[in-house]
Amino acid sequence: MRDKTDAGWRRPVKEVNVQIGERCRKAREAAGYTQERLAEAVGKSTQFISDTERGICGMSINTIMSLCSALSVSADYLLFGWSEEGSSALSMDTRISRLTDAERSIVEQ
């Protein structure tokens, strides 16, 4: 196992970051933005946008909020893939039932 000082060390990619990144890319393309234009709109580097879309890194809440605003999408869409139309019609019980066990635990807290 390599440690952080080893030049070849990389943090494992989290599947949730890959999924959010794919939705971010789709929303960016639907909005007609290049990675450069989106990076400028949210105050991040083009490399950050690229890494995010590939799932290499995650995002802070502030960054997610900025992306939602710039791309005119909901956090429900970016985080869970729920469509704008469908998510508002769902009951709270249905929304909670779609969460993972870890997400449900956070909601309960």
Side-chain angles (χ1 to χ4, degrees), residues 37-63:
R37 185 173 169 206
L38 180 59
E40 186 176 304
V42 298
K44 297 291 181 181
S45 70
T46 303
Q47 186 63 56
F48 176 82
I49 298 297
S50 174
D51 289 349
T52 299
E53 288 184 359
R54 292 181 292 135
I56 292 174
C57 64
M59 296 178 273
S60 70
I61 297 297
N62 288 337
T63 301

Side-chain angles (χ1 to χ4, degrees), residues 10 15-17 19 27 30 47-48 57 62 64 70 86-87 104 108:
R10 292 186 193 262
E15 182 59 29
V16 68
N17 289 343
Q19 293 169 357
Q47 186 63 56
F48 176 82
C57 64
N62 288 337
I64 291 169
S87 65
R104 242 187 315 282
E108 289 171 357

Side-chain angles (χ1 to χ4, degrees), residues 63-104:
T63 301
I64 291 169
M65 290 169 61
S66 294
L67 285 169
C68 289
S69 178
L71 298 172
S72 298
V73 297
S74 70
D76 279 348
Y77 172 73
L78 276 188
L79 297 175
F80 303 107
W82 297 342
S83 69
E84 302 287 307
E85 305 82 31
S87 65
S88 62
L90 296 176
S91 71
M92 188 57 69
D93 289 339
T94 301
R95 290 181 187 195
I96 291 172
S97 73
R98 290 184 172 183
L99 300 175
T100 65
D101 290 339
E103 293 165 337
R104 242 187 315 282

